[in-house]
Amino acid sequence: MIVLFGIPSESPLAMVAGALAEDGTDFLVVNQREVLGNRMELRLDAAGLQGQLSSPERTLALESIRGAYLRPMDDQRLPEVVNEPPESVLRQRARGFHELVVQWAEVTPATVINRYSRMGSNFSKPYQAQIISGVGFAVPETLVTNDPDAVLEFRHAHGELIFKSVSSERSVVKLLAENDLQRLDRIKHCPVQFQEYIPGQDFRVHTIGDDVFATLVESSGIDYRYAATRVGEAPTLTAVSLPERIESLCVRLAATLDLEFAGIDLRRDPDGRFVCFEVNPSPAFSYYESHTGQPIAQAVAAHLSRRREIRRPPRGDGGTTASATAGSVEELALADPSQP
Amino acid sequence: VQWRHRVGRGSPSVEVLLPDGDQLRSGEFSAVLNRVIAPPLAGLARTSGEDSAYARSEQIAFSLSWLRALAPLVVNPPTARGLAGAWRSSVEWRSLGRAAGLDVEPLVRESLAPEPASVFPQLPPTGMVIGDEAFGAAAEPRVKAAAIRLSQMAETPILGLWLSADRHRRLTMATPHPVLSLGGKGGVAALERVLGA
């Protein structure tokens, strides 16, 4: 039995549900918005971990769950809850269920994508960068400081800089412009993260266990995620293969972070060097799959079921959406310059 | 306080200029005893609402990174679940304790009657592990090896444990931030060994 927890209409959850249905796998979508209908009981004693999970649809023994895909939104912002007073029953029910699911996910022997404890490194970008670097990836030169003079020295050493949040909140990348230098004194109140600007091609790599799906993202924006709204041009996505060493490093990085499923952001600089920016522990893969046809949902479903056969579309026969040019792009898998 | 924290091609580093002119630099320490629960947040008093929450997240995320970079050995190591070691729910501690070989107090949780993830007993921990040594109730032969194993599995070299007062010494909860005085002079010596002093 596989459990999906979140909002059924949310694209990644819906796509994994579709893949499980297609495979004939028994699964239950626990709709987070069924605040009054969901319930969990958990017992831990000398016999081990037992209990049950109930939704309006079904009741399951916790021991029967082999895999879980967790995509809940903040339970206190659910439409059913957001306008409720702080002590309302609905709020408490939403919180109680969410908390217990999270606690269960930490201790169940089931395959969980992903346990909350494993998702934490993304909360601090420079902390995660230290781990990324330890695995063997290049990371951008980074300075976190509240000293304006240090920023100017860093800029002198590295040229153009970007700045972004240290945490995962309000994480929008911006170039440090001349007019930003006029207000640099404001960083004295809270350290800010600055990074060398690295030009090049963006890649999003999804790893599911040992499976790797790499996507080339071509965009004229500094941060391609916001390119459509900021520069009026949606990115173009293409399924690609990366050098074997880079794909292996991606798998090793996800394993080091103990992530069953990860979205890894890489950029290949003009010298051909792959630089890793960050690892997203709860990737919204549907955007990439819908533009390239990469069978990511199917891989997630197979991983949850512990089946390994992924039906990849033949090269050259990928996605066909308006802004995508998916398909066989082996020629884009340029040689890794760090390889002999 | 002035901060310069670097991550990149070389080893991560941190330089801290204190108000009295003293400086701390990573590379000057071989080990650090880390007892930071939260960064000082007094500077955020003038912020409010979402800005305050954002600034708080930024400070904690920053602390997590510079603490990791401060020395080759940081005890307890900072984690995303706690700056001086991971805070876990009683469900998780008891599950981990059981896997480590400890008897655990049976537990029932029900989503209709939630309680916070980390409910701590009123009294201080009854046992403690520092490195490969145990103190208080955790030092009893019946539980010592399992208590040390729990500390290792939790990657928390300094660990406080609440063990029941009866002969079973069942685990109810644990903390990465115990009162160190429980270890007495032996605890100080164990800390020296853990830190390689």
Side-chain angles (χ1 to χ4, degrees), chain A residues 21-22 61 112 114 253:
Chain A
E22 193 181 319
V112 177
N114 277 308
L253 175 56

Side-chain angles (χ1 to χ4, degrees), chain B residues 132-176:
Chain B
D132 55 5
E133 295 177 55
F135 302 91
E140 292 179 16
R142 188 174 188 282
V143 293
K144 182 178 176 182
I148 292 170
R149 201 175 306 123
L150 173 61
S151 152
Q152 292 165 345
M153 291 170 69
E155 297 177 353
T156 309
I158 300 172
L159 183 67
L161 302 92
W162 280 272
L163 299 165
S164 63
D166 60 23
R167 65 184 176 84
H168 297 290
R169 292 295 190 196
R170 293 191 179 103
L171 178 74
T172 56
M173 191 60 180
T175 172

Side-chain angles (χ1 to χ4, degrees), chain A residues 124 141-142 144-145 167 169, chain B residues 3-5 7 9 57-58 61:
Chain A
S124 170
E141 287 297 317
T142 301
V144 188
T145 188
S167 71
E169 289 192 34
Chain B
W3 297 92
R4 294 181 178 199
H5 173 37
V7 180
R9 291 179 194 96
S57 289
E58 288 289 287

